[in-house]
Amino acid sequence: MTNCTRSSLDDLPLVLTVPEAAEALRIGRNTAYNLVRCKKLRSIRVGKQLRVPKVALLEYLGVQY
């Protein structure tokens, strides 16, 4: 998502990296990792990498989908 502006939540991919989720939430990368670590923002592990499902981002925001 770097150097790319999304106009709506519909434009987000099905899964995001934690930095992409941070950018979508307009928070810092470390804050996003803290949300994942505290299980406030649901994530999945794909191998050694963390991914945030778009649905989890919407749940965190309290958006009905």
Side-chain angles (χ1 to χ4, degrees):
M1 285 178 55
T2 305
N3 296 331
C4 182
T5 306
R6 306 260 184 209
S7 60
S8 74
L9 292 173
D10 295 332
D11 294 339
L12 292 174
L14 288 176
V15 291
L16 299 91
T17 63
V18 177
E20 288 172 339
E23 187 176 327
L25 292 170
R26 299 183 62 117
I27 61 174
R29 184 179 65 95
N30 289 339
T31 302
Y33 276 107
N34 284 337
L35 289 173
V36 168
R37 190 176 321 109
C38 295
K39 303 200 186 295
K40 292 181 181 179
L41 180 60
R42 192 167 45 88
S43 66
I44 58 172
R45 188 166 288 281
V46 180
K48 293 183 179 182
Q49 301 176 356
L50 285 173
R51 294 292 183 259
V52 177
K54 177 180 175 179
V55 171
L57 194 65
L58 296 174
E59 288 170 356
Y60 179 76
L61 292 172
V63 175
Q64 298 295 322
Y65 49 92

